[in-house]
Amino acid sequence: MHAPGTHPPNQPALPDWLAAVAVAGSVYADDDARVSLAIDLARRNVEHDTGGPFGAAVFDAAGHLVAAGVNRVEPLQLSLAHAEIMALVGAQQKLGRARLNADGGRYTLATSAQPCCQCYGAIVWAGIDEVLIGARSEDTESLAGFDEGPLPRDWVAALRRRGIRVQRDLRRAAARAVLAAYAKRNGPRY
C-alpha cells in the first residue's frame, strides 16, 4: 500500500515534460479550459514524440487539476497506457482511493477524444461524475486510424443513467487537428 500522493516504483512513467505543463492543484475555471488542457497535452505528446495523440486530465469540483495523463501505449508497449487510464491512475494514487468520488466530492475527466471501450469501463468504475470530450471516435478512426473498440449503442445515455454527465464536441476542431497532425507525422494506423 502506498500513501496518498506517492507512486509505486512500477507505475508506468509519464513523459518528463508533462509535470511542467500540467501542475497539480492549478485551477481550470471552466469546461473549455479543462478540455483545452487535455487537447494541449495530446498536441505536446505528438510534438515530443512521447506517445499517441491523446491527453486527459482529472479535476475536482472546484476545477483543481488532480492528475493528468497522455497516451503512452507505444513507448511503454503497454496496451492499458491510454491517456484516460494514466490520468485516472494518477488521481487514484494521489487521493489514495480507487473510487475517486467515494469522499462525496465530484470529479471530472476531460479528454481530447472520445474514450475507447477500455476507457469507457474505467470511467464507470473510477468514480467520475462528468466527462468532457473533444474529438469523436469517428474522428479518431478516420483521421488517425485507431480502432476504438465496441461501445454500447447509446453509450452516452448509459453513462447518464449511472449519473455521469457527458459533454461532447468541446473544441472538436482543435482535437481533430491533433489527430491529423499525428497521422501526418506517423502515418495512419490502418
Side-chain angles (χ1 to χ4, degrees):
M1 185 76 179
H2 297 276
T6 65
H7 301 280
N10 61 351
Q11 177 186 341
L14 290 167
D16 292 338
W17 59 262
L18 190 127
V21 175
V23 178
S26 296
V27 177
Y28 291 79
D30 57 25
D31 294 344
D32 185 68
R34 294 171 194 153
V35 83
S36 291
L37 173 64
I39 294 167
D40 184 50
L41 294 173
R43 180 186 57 77
R44 289 173 188 263
N45 209 36
V46 171
E47 289 173 353
H48 288 281
D49 199 25
T50 50
F54 306 100
V58 175
F59 301 90
D60 68 14
H64 294 101
L65 176 63
V66 178
V70 291
N71 179 284
R72 300 284 288 152
V73 171
E74 290 298 322
L76 299 175
Q77 290 298 292
L78 182 61
S79 64
L80 298 174
H82 289 201
E84 296 91 339
I85 300 295
M86 300 297 281
L88 291 170
V89 167
Q92 289 166 332
Q93 290 184 337
K94 180 175 183 179
L95 298 176
R97 56 184 177 268
R99 189 150 186 89
L100 299 176
N101 61 6
D103 68 344
R106 294 191 55 80
Y107 293 88
T108 297
L109 175 70
T111 182
S112 62
Q114 179 179 314
C116 69
C117 59
Q118 169 184 268
C119 297
Y120 172 84
I123 288 166
V124 171
W125 303 127
I128 291 296
D129 301 291
E130 180 176 30
V131 183
L132 309 174
I133 302 167
R136 291 183 175 226
S137 64
E138 55 261 32
D139 301 329
T140 300
E141 292 170 356
S142 68
L143 294 170
F146 286 91
D147 179 358
E148 297 300 280
L151 287 174
R153 174 168 284 157
D154 194 353
W155 62 272
V156 172
L159 288 177
R160 288 183 178 147
R161 281 191 298 276
R162 291 179 169 271
I164 302 169
R165 184 172 173 235
V166 177
Q167 291 190 68
R168 299 171 72 188
D169 301 333
L170 300 171
R171 302 189 49 81
R172 185 176 179 190
R176 286 174 50 88
V178 173
L179 295 167
Y182 177 84
K184 183 177 181 181
R185 181 179 185 140
N186 296 298
R189 301 183 48 89
Y190 300 103

